[in-house]
Amino acid sequence: MRKKIVAGNWKMNLDISEGIELATTINSHFLTSPLEGKEVILCTPFIHLNAVSAIVKTAGVSVGAQNCSNHKSGAYTGEISASMIHSTGAKNVIIGHSERRIYYAENDSMLAEKTAEALRNNLRVIFCCGEVLPERESNAHFDVVKRQLENGLFMLPEDDFRKCVIAYEPVWAIGTGKTASPAQAQEMHHFIRGLVEKHYGTKVAADTTILYGGSCKASNAAELFANPDVDGGLIGGASLLKDEFCNIVKAL
């Protein structure tokens, strides 16, 4: 049975004290309101990982990074390795977020290397895929997502793939105030599950968690999560607001 997950991506926000305060209040909330089979992941900037990992002690809540290097170690100034992330107590890492693909020109080959390196260091991968607006408008969105998954994720053997979560990001709906309709979200999630089935079989496809990541908020979360192939969300701006984020989790 696949996991229901809400992952908060703090992006480049919050200083140390602000991050500790947010993580503390979220942890306290789920101490008094148990998750009951759901899972929450706080994906913080690198500087927060150690402190937040020490704070989060609630069952079902874990910590993740937003990126990692594709290299094990070496002269790569400014980079953070998967082993460094793991040493902080973090258990997850986002790979291939659209902002990394667009702003830092991360390609499928590099993302495949990052995924493999993360798995070697016992990190669960949240692998992002999704199309930009011109690709959606030209009806290329299915081809784009298929290519991203085949080149960046489906090279894994089944045992490793089972350690991954997929996050679908309609890039045109991130930070724009637009949201894919529930029908659009379900259509793509169903398509992705079909790709997984083609590569790994029916059982693996049924067990694969696929998150929606595109301007999900408390007001539309329940409608999105009601879709049979939408297993939760990768939440951006709303994850910085404790009440909003916890209400999204409640909607799952």
Side-chain angles (χ1 to χ4, degrees):
M1 185 174 180
R2 60 184 179 262
K3 293 181 178 179
K4 299 287 188 178
I5 297 173
V6 173
N9 177 13
W10 293 3
K11 304 193 179 185
M12 194 177 72
N13 292 292
L14 308 182
D15 63 22
I16 285 288
S17 62
E18 292 167 337
I20 288 174
E21 180 181 4
L22 179 58
T24 300
T25 59
I26 290 173
N27 184 70
S28 297
H29 175 86
F30 291 118
L31 276 174
T32 57
S33 299
L35 285 163
E36 298 179 347
K38 305 171 187 177
E39 185 174 353
V40 167
I41 305 171
L42 304 181
C43 295
T44 78
F46 291 130
I47 63 165
H48 298 74
L49 292 176
N50 196 59
V52 172
S53 293
I55 290 166
V56 170
K57 300 297 183 184
T58 304
V61 184
S62 63
V63 179
Q66 300 170 17
N67 181 40
C68 74
S69 175
N70 55 322
H71 299 288
K72 180 178 179 180
S73 62
Y76 302 102
T77 300
E79 289 293 286
I80 303 291
S81 71
S83 64
M84 292 174 178
I85 292 169
H86 186 266
S87 73
T88 68
K91 301 182 186 303
N92 311 273
V93 62
I94 299 172
I95 301 290
H97 192 281
S98 58
E99 291 159 1
R100 300 296 310 181
R101 292 177 185 267
I102 294 169
Y103 302 151
Y104 302 99
E106 294 188 355
N107 58 32
D108 293 339
S109 176
M110 175 185 288
L111 297 176
E113 292 174 358
K114 289 189 175 195
T115 296
E117 187 63 25
L119 291 169
R120 276 193 290 270
N121 286 276
N122 298 311
L123 294 173
R124 177 172 49 179
V125 170
I126 302 172
F127 188 90
C128 299
C129 59
E131 80 281 0
V132 296
L133 186 58
E135 292 166 339
R136 164 67 65 163
E137 292 178 336
S138 63
N139 291 316
H141 46 297
F142 293 121
D143 290 337
V144 169
V145 168
K146 180 181 179 182
R147 187 206 77 230
Q148 291 172 342
L149 290 173
E150 288 183 341
N151 294 345
L153 195 61
F154 289 167
M155 76 293 179
L156 295 172
E158 180 181 321
D159 286 350
D160 280 344
F161 178 80
R162 282 181 170 275
K163 301 170 187 174
C164 299
V165 168
I166 296 173
Y168 165 61
E169 304 178 287
V171 184
W172 45 273
I174 298 176
T176 64
K178 297 180 181 180
T179 307
S181 70
Q184 287 173 317
Q186 169 58 21
E187 180 184 44
M188 182 59 83
H189 281 234
H190 181 72
F191 173 73
I192 291 170
R193 202 173 302 283
L195 293 176
V196 175
E197 182 175 8
K198 178 181 176 182
H199 284 269
Y200 295 104
T202 303
K203 180 64 167 65
V204 176
D207 290 344
T208 298
T209 297
I210 307 175
L211 308 180
Y212 173 78
S215 295
C216 179
K217 45 191 179 290
S219 60
N220 62 15
E223 190 175 15
L224 286 163
F225 297 163
N227 285 298
D229 289 300
V230 178
D231 304 313
L234 177 60
I235 313 302
S239 70
L240 301 173
L241 305 171
K242 178 259 182 181
D243 290 340
E244 179 80 3
F245 183 68
C246 290
N247 282 332
I248 291 173
V249 176
K250 185 178 179 180
L252 187 59

